[in-house]
Amino acid sequence: MAKTEAGWHRVVAKARPGDAYGFRLSDGRIVPDPASRGQASDINGPSLIPDKKDYSWQTANWQSRPWDEAVFCEIHIGTFTRAGTFRSAMERLRSLADLGVTAIELMPIAQFPGNRGWGYDGVLQYAPHRTYGSPNEFKALVDAAHDVGLMVFLDVVYNHFGPVGNHLLSYAPEFFRKESTPWGAAMNFGQSAVRSYFIENAVYWLTEFRLDGLRLDAVDQMEDDSPIHILQELSESTRRDVPGPRRYLVTENPANSIELLDHSCGPLFDADWNDDFHHSMHVAATGEGGGHYAPFSKKPWKSLNAALACGYVLEGRPLLASPTPGRKPPPRAFVHYLQNHDQTGNRALGERLISLIDEEAYGLWLEILLLSPQIPLLFQGDDYGEHKPFHFFVDTDDDRAEAIWDGRAKEADNFGGLPQGKTIANIPDANNPATFLKSKLRSTVDAPYQDRFRGKLRSLLTVRGGKVVPLLKEVQPGVVVVENDGIVAVNWPLADGVLQMRANFTSNNVDLPLWPGSFLHAREVQKWSDGSVILGKYGFALVRSGQQPSRIESGG
């Protein structure tokens, strides 16, 4: 290859779609294309010339869905079905759509080491993982999802490359910063080639595979001292360069950077995964208060209500070099969940929330999640009440497997610690294929309990779609009405009234302030009087009032 003045190396060669190729380095090694569109074998093998013209889209007129209609189900392709492929995942899409789910979000599929893993250690960011199927089979999955009305989002990792198979580190070290993230070498976004690599990657996934949106993993680790932060440029470039209907951008941002969600003049990002809601909810539901849950352990119910009212609870840290002061984002700028891959798979035994608390309490948490004005996210299996665990799993060599094993107990401490009577020896070996197989969902979900569970979810999502979604564009950040333990009491202002949510997790009847109006959904409401309502144990009420209940908004 001939080297240009700008440092790029180029060659013109005859090649056809499907041909294998690699880059030969000065020491004789042959490495894959870092922008490979597909691999012939694993991350160390040759790349394949793609054929962009050999897939015929069946849903060419798909126009996506309004953001306010989003109800996510996060899925991991390898464990979503027994076969663990793009093709087999298509078989379960209609079941989700029939339930009222409107979007699937795929954990990362960019080529990563081995045949099994979560995908957050990918190194070839343009290549769908070959174990899941070909690029065309991924397109077929997107096509099938759009055919039943489901949006498709992809989780992408732009903060680091995995430590295994990162050949760029050896021949283009300038691609990375001297600093490191907790998981691998950090990106040097001060280099124009690095910026282009990731911006073009976002445009590639959205355009080539007609995805409806992306979720950017751990953006707080995307450090950038450039005049225009990579996050800002990426957002602006995708809005400008991706043709067709508008695509959505979601962050996972532990820094709680409010300027990324400033809706006063059009947000850089449509929403953020709000761990503050999950963590406070989890402490309130289970009593676990160590690790990541510690900041919420003293007053979890106060934090929970605050998260429902305004989104972030903990003080944020700006990421942009010159953040503009913004208003509190509206509720629809936050994605809420009772669990996701992190909160299940990083537990010592991979338990789901439904296995940690009683069924009635879990049902009430579902009502809060699905009927709040935030955007709800379910984790795969939540659609039918799955109790099977979801574990952390990898496929790597013995040396790295030992290091991963050493870190599992520490990671588990952040998510509930070891259950009583269990020791480190009880933590499943992440590198054992059996751990991966135990994380796969059931092949059939037709038990009577699961039918009842799906019926309740379908009912709740019908209420959400018909009565809550039409309000979302006007719902503003709310206020907490009552701060008693075991009580959820939040008011969200509307353009012509107020949306009020009340829930009772205590064992006693409670008299809660509630301005009379139209019930959108209610259970165990025993009495209504002017300005208050009595809820029984696990009672719930969602009410829209046509006027502002100013006299109870300052409660506490």
Side-chain angles (χ1 to χ4, degrees):
M1 303 179 74
K3 183 178 180 180
T4 68
E5 292 183 0
W8 295 100
H9 293 70
R10 294 177 178 170
V11 67
V12 177
K14 292 182 179 180
R16 297 174 298 178
D19 282 354
Y21 70 102
F23 296 152
R24 188 186 303 276
L25 305 183
S26 57
D27 61 5
R29 285 186 298 142
I30 298 178
V31 298
D33 184 349
S36 168
R37 265 53 171 178
Q39 289 296 102
S41 54
D42 60 16
I43 54 173
N44 298 307
S47 303
L48 298 175
I49 298 290
D51 186 349
K52 297 182 179 181
K53 299 179 181 179
D54 65 349
Y55 185 81
S56 177
W57 288 93
Q58 304 302 302
T59 56
N61 295 325
W62 170 257
Q63 292 298 307
S64 197
R65 301 182 68 135
W67 172 251
D68 292 352
E69 294 181 4
V71 176
F72 285 98
C73 182
E74 184 190 22
I75 68 176
H76 175 270
I77 290 294
T79 57
F80 188 54
T81 61
R82 301 307 297 177
T85 64
F86 296 133
R87 285 286 182 187
S88 63
M90 295 163 59
E91 302 167 3
R92 279 195 152 160
L93 298 180
R94 187 168 295 280
S95 175
L96 292 174
D98 289 346
L99 191 64
V101 171
T102 62
I104 57 173
E105 180 177 310
L106 310 184
M107 290 171 63
I109 64 169
Q111 187 80 34
F112 55 83
N115 292 319
R116 58 187 183 274
W118 280 13
Y120 292 93
D121 52 353
V123 293
L124 300 176
Q125 301 296 336
Y126 289 73
H129 196 270
R130 60 182 298 275
T131 302
Y132 297 154
S134 68
N136 279 351
E137 287 172 321
F138 181 36
K139 291 178 182 178
L141 171 61
V142 177
D143 227 353
H146 289 168
D147 187 54
V148 296
L150 292 172
M151 297 185 286
V152 184
F153 285 64
L154 178 64
D155 200 344
V156 291
V157 183
Y158 293 162
N159 53 66
H160 79 288
F161 276 2
V164 177
N166 182 10
H167 299 289
L168 267 173
L169 193 60
S170 65
Y171 68 86
E174 301 87 353
F175 202 89
F176 305 93
R177 295 167 64 103
K178 294 180 180 179
E179 301 83 0
S180 179
T181 73
W183 318 285
M187 301 302 166
N188 183 3
F189 293 114
Q191 295 278 356
S192 61
V194 178
R195 299 175 78 85
S196 296
Y197 179 92
F198 288 104
I199 291 171
E200 291 175 15
N201 183 259
V203 172
Y204 163 75
W205 286 117
L206 293 171
T207 304
E208 181 72 17
F209 298 93
R210 302 195 180 188
L211 299 179
D212 298 89
L214 302 174
R215 180 261 197 189
L216 277 64
D217 178 67
V219 297
D220 61 314
Q221 297 293 329
M222 296 175 64
E223 298 288 347
D224 185 15
D225 301 327
S226 306
I228 298 178
H229 196 282
I230 179 63
L231 289 171
Q232 179 177 344
E233 186 175 354
L234 185 147
S235 172
E236 294 171 349
S237 295
T238 54
R239 308 289 193 207
R240 181 185 66 242
D241 298 337
V242 177
R246 181 183 171 186
R247 313 303 169 84
Y248 303 110
L249 297 176
V250 180
T251 59
E252 181 205 24
N253 182 18
N256 290 3
S257 309
I258 194 171
E259 79 273 15
L260 299 183
L261 304 175
D262 182 6
H263 280 59
S264 60
C265 57
L268 292 176
F269 293 89
D270 295 281
D272 181 44
W273 276 30
N274 187 14
D275 272 351
D276 287 9
F277 168 78
H278 171 269
H279 293 354
S280 54
M281 177 282 303
H282 190 89
V283 176
T286 68
E288 297 176 352
H292 293 317
Y293 306 140
F296 307 90
S297 60
K298 289 186 178 180
K299 295 183 177 181
W301 291 97
K302 180 177 181 180
S303 296
L304 170 70
N305 278 272
L308 285 167
C310 297
Y312 295 139
V313 177
L314 302 182
E315 184 177 354
R317 171 175 64 86
L319 292 184
L320 304 187
S322 301
T324 55
R327 300 175 298 179
K328 289 182 179 178
R332 61 202 283 265
F334 296 96
V335 176
H336 281 186
Y337 36 85
L338 302 184
Q339 61 199 348
N340 57 42
H341 67 275
D342 270 328
Q343 283 90 37
T344 51
N346 283 321
R347 294 183 64 82
L349 303 183
E351 310 101 317
R352 296 167 179 264
L353 181 63
I354 197 171
S355 300
L356 301 175
I357 61 178
D358 69 62
E359 185 177 335
E360 281 190 284
Y362 184 78
L364 183 51
W365 285 118
L366 272 179
E367 287 175 304
I368 292 171
L369 174 72
L370 298 180
L371 299 182
S372 297
Q374 289 81 15
I375 303 298
L377 178 140
L378 304 171
F379 183 56
Q380 62 176 31
D382 289 351
D383 53 307
Y384 59 86
E386 178 65 86
H387 281 262
K388 286 186 66 179
F390 179 80
H391 298 292
F392 180 77
F393 45 82
V394 295
D395 179 16
T396 190
D397 57 47
D398 292 340
D399 290 341
R400 186 162 182 262
E402 184 176 351
I404 291 172
W405 171 255
D406 290 341
R408 291 313 299 156
K410 181 179 179 180
E411 193 63 53
D413 284 341
N414 284 322
F415 294 92
L418 288 166
Q420 188 173 3
K422 301 295 183 179
T423 67
I424 294 177
N426 295 115
I427 299 178
D429 181 0
N431 201 40
N432 188 330
T435 302
F436 166 67
L437 294 174
K438 290 176 183 177
S439 300
K440 286 181 176 284
L441 295 182
R442 303 173 193 272
S443 56
T444 58
V445 291
D446 56 359
Y449 161 76
Q450 292 159 350
D451 285 343
R452 291 196 305 273
F453 192 93
R454 283 179 57 82
K456 178 174 182 176
L457 277 182
R458 186 180 294 109
S459 176
L460 290 173
L461 288 175
T462 298
V463 173
R464 179 179 182 83
K467 299 182 178 180
V468 178
V469 168
L471 304 176
L472 295 191
K473 281 187 172 58
E474 58 179 289
V475 175
Q476 298 302 310
V479 293
V480 179
V481 177
V482 174
E483 294 185 354
N484 296 342
D485 286 354
I487 301 298
V488 171
V490 178
N491 290 348
W492 294 277
L494 302 171
D496 59 350
V498 64
L499 181 65
Q500 304 167 93
M501 177 177 285
R502 306 290 185 266
N504 175 23
F505 285 89
T506 74
S507 57
N508 303 314
N509 294 346
V510 293
D511 190 350
L512 296 174
L514 185 70
W515 197 258
S518 301
F519 277 100
L520 305 184
H521 179 77
R523 286 190 311 101
E524 300 298 326
V525 178
Q526 300 186 14
K527 178 184 176 184
W528 179 284
S529 60
D530 184 28
S532 69
V533 67
I534 293 180
L535 295 185
K537 181 180 180 181
Y538 295 140
F540 178 89
L542 185 69
V543 173
R544 178 183 181 179
S545 171
Q547 52 187 308
Q548 291 283 358
S550 57
R551 67 185 182 86
I552 64 171
E553 281 194 345
S554 60

